[in-house]
Amino acid sequence: MGVRTRFLSLAHLPTTTAGVERAITYLVAGVRIGTVAQMVPALRLGVDMSPRSSLYLACWVVAAVTALVVSGVALVTRRPLSTPVVSVDVLIAVGVLALSAWVVAPDHRVGTWVAFQTGYALSVVITATTVRSLTVVAWGLPAALGAYLFQVSEVSGSALGTTVAGNLLTFVVYAVLCRLVLTFVRRVGEDADQARARAAELARREEQRRAQVVMHNGAAVLRLLTEPDLPPAARSALVDQAMVELEQMRSYLRPAPAPVPGDDVAGTVRLADSLAATCARFPDLRVERVPGPGADVEVDAVRAHAVARALDSLLLNVREHAGADHVVVHLEADAARTWTLTVHDDGAGFDPAAVTAGVGLREVVVGELTRHGMDVTVDSRPGEGTTVTVRGTATAPAPAPAPTPAGRARTPRQPHAGRRLR
């Protein structure tokens, strides 16, 4: 069963450098064993027709055993042969090919497997192209061509001359073509490995970013809870907010549930309600919500959640760093369903050119909102407070329901406006 599984897995080699090298070993074994299979039927005829039968048989046995050993070593080690092993392999092939001038009659040296040495030498040249170093091919191919010319030196006839020229060209073409293809395939495997490494690094960075987004606000709440002079009302609000952040962290650590067929997982949320709930968690701050025209705009739940998290982070920054007396949260939308949220505080402010934005502003606010298709601008000056402006597009209203056959409109499904954000 184990052997069967190994051979069935050959079609499922990984597209990696290791997988490519293993596939090359199958090429080597296939070419060499296939050559031996071609040599077997002509063995008896070759021995009978050879002027030196014993030497012919010895050459045949050496070639066959070498081919099988090379194939076995390649399959067992699962990697291409080393340069020294292939060099010995090429020397044996060149010697066997040169000896064919004494063990094969001139009339049988071209166009027949009685002169198996030619086909055998070609298979060895193909094996040599699998070595990464060009050294073996550089001397092995000319040596094989020279031995072949020595083998056919006594062959005469114009037709045979054309065949000899074709065989010489076959050696060269196979060597060059195999080398080019193997080099390309190896480069594909290396590129695949590099692409996987880059993807893994990007996934690691994305996971790190997600952890920063999820943990940042919770860490800020916990730090504020450690302040000894915190007013009781503010501490109570922070405890409630800590519970919300705890649920966020639990959601992050839990695997995402499979979607339920037919469940409207997107839903829509009235953005003003989401912002009001966020502002309510900061009773110690003077947060003034100023509704503008079109403030009843609705967005999908995912983007509403991202905006709420961003506002939460901004208000935490105001509480922790800005020292502001007043925060204004203004939401409006125009006729084109483009909404604008402005959050302004009259705190200490900062110089964006001189101060590196922290994780909250960089990832939770700018990064997350930008990833959800919203535009974010931050305007701040030392001593003049900070203004963050977010622009996005409202969720399109649901299409009008088709009339029933009786001409009455169907009752639409109620949107999931009350779905709890996580």
Side-chain angles (χ1 to χ4, degrees):
M1 182 65 179
V3 175
R4 180 183 177 187
T5 303
R6 284 183 59 187
F7 279 96
L8 288 177
S9 66
L10 301 186
H12 304 285
L13 287 175
T15 54
T16 60
T17 300
V20 168
E21 296 301 321
R22 189 173 177 186
I24 292 175
T25 64
Y26 300 145
L27 170 66
V28 170
V31 169
R32 302 305 291 273
I33 294 175
T35 301
V36 173
Q38 294 284 350
M39 291 164 51
V40 170
L43 174 60
R44 182 171 181 178
L45 181 62
V47 171
D48 293 340
M49 301 181 63
S50 173
R52 295 175 178 84
S53 300
S54 298
L55 185 57
Y56 179 94
L57 180 61
C59 290
W60 192 96
V61 171
V62 168
V65 170
T66 303
L68 295 177
V69 169
V70 166
S71 302
V73 170
L75 292 176
V76 170
T77 60
R78 299 186 180 186
R79 61 176 181 268
L81 302 173
S82 64
T83 300
V85 172
V86 174
S87 298
V88 173
D89 190 26
V90 171
L91 288 174
I92 293 174
V94 170
V96 169
L97 184 57
L99 285 175
S100 63
W102 285 280
V103 300
V104 179
D107 294 343
H108 299 94
R109 294 179 190 175
V110 178
T112 173
W113 271 96
V114 170
F116 67 89
Q117 295 88 344
T118 303
Y120 178 78
L122 179 60
S123 70
V124 174
V125 168
I126 294 175
T127 301
T129 62
T130 64
V131 180
R132 287 185 177 272
S133 174
L134 281 172
T135 305
V136 180
V137 179
W139 67 262
L141 178 60
L145 295 177
Y148 178 71
L149 289 174
F150 178 72
Q151 179 205 40
V152 298
S153 58
E154 299 179 9
V155 177
S156 60
S158 58
L160 292 178
T162 303
T163 303
V164 169
N167 289 342
L168 291 173
L169 184 61
T170 299
F171 272 91
V172 175
V173 170
Y174 271 51
V176 173
L177 183 61
C178 288
R179 186 69 189 187
L180 291 176
V181 171
L182 290 174
T183 300
F184 173 76
V185 171
R186 279 184 167 129
R187 195 174 79 240
V188 170
E190 292 169 358
D191 289 347
D193 283 349
Q194 293 175 4
R196 287 185 179 88
R198 287 194 297 269
E201 176 61 18
L202 291 175
R204 185 193 67 80
R205 292 181 182 179
E206 174 63 16
E207 190 62 24
Q208 182 182 44
R209 182 197 65 78
R210 289 184 61 233
Q212 289 177 338
V213 170
V214 173
M215 306 299 179
H216 172 267
N217 290 0
V221 171
L222 293 176
R223 197 202 69 77
L224 290 171
L225 280 172
T226 62
E227 294 185 359
D229 300 330
L230 196 65
R235 184 176 297 277
S236 177
L238 282 173
V239 170
D240 293 339
Q241 191 170 357
M243 295 302 295
V244 173
E245 295 300 330
L246 177 61
E247 183 60 27
Q248 291 283 342
M249 295 178 187
R250 285 175 174 170
S251 298
Y252 170 73
L253 295 174
R254 287 195 300 260
V260 179
D263 188 17
D264 184 9
V265 296
T268 58
V269 173
R270 190 170 179 267
L271 187 55
D273 293 342
S274 179
L275 298 178
T278 302
C279 293
R281 294 200 294 268
F282 295 84
D284 56 315
L285 297 179
R286 287 185 56 199
V287 180
E288 180 182 0
R289 292 188 296 110
V290 181
D296 59 346
V297 63
E298 292 189 353
V299 299
D300 61 84
V302 175
R303 286 195 297 167
H305 177 55
V307 174
R309 291 287 292 173
L311 178 59
D312 197 57
S313 184
L314 289 174
L315 296 179
L316 282 171
N317 281 343
V318 170
R319 175 189 279 163
E320 188 173 3
H321 304 295
D325 294 325
H326 191 209
V327 181
V328 177
V329 178
H330 177 73
L331 175 66
E332 65 178 9
D334 58 22
R337 304 189 60 77
T338 299
W339 55 266
T340 302
L341 170 66
T342 304
V343 181
H344 172 74
D345 70 76
D346 59 357
F350 63 95
D351 183 2
V355 178
T356 302
V359 173
L361 187 59
R362 185 182 68 249
E363 293 293 344
V364 182
V365 179
V366 178
E368 279 296 286
L369 297 184
T370 301
R371 290 183 185 91
H372 285 87
M374 291 169 268
D375 296 326
V376 184
T377 58
V378 180
D379 183 19
S380 184
R381 292 178 179 83
E384 299 182 13
T386 302
T387 301
V388 177
T389 304
V390 183
R391 293 182 178 85
T393 304
T395 303
T404 61
R408 294 178 297 176
R410 296 186 180 93
T411 302
R413 290 182 61 186
Q414 294 299 320
H416 292 249
R419 185 182 300 277
R420 181 180 179 184
L421 296 180
R422 294 188 177 181

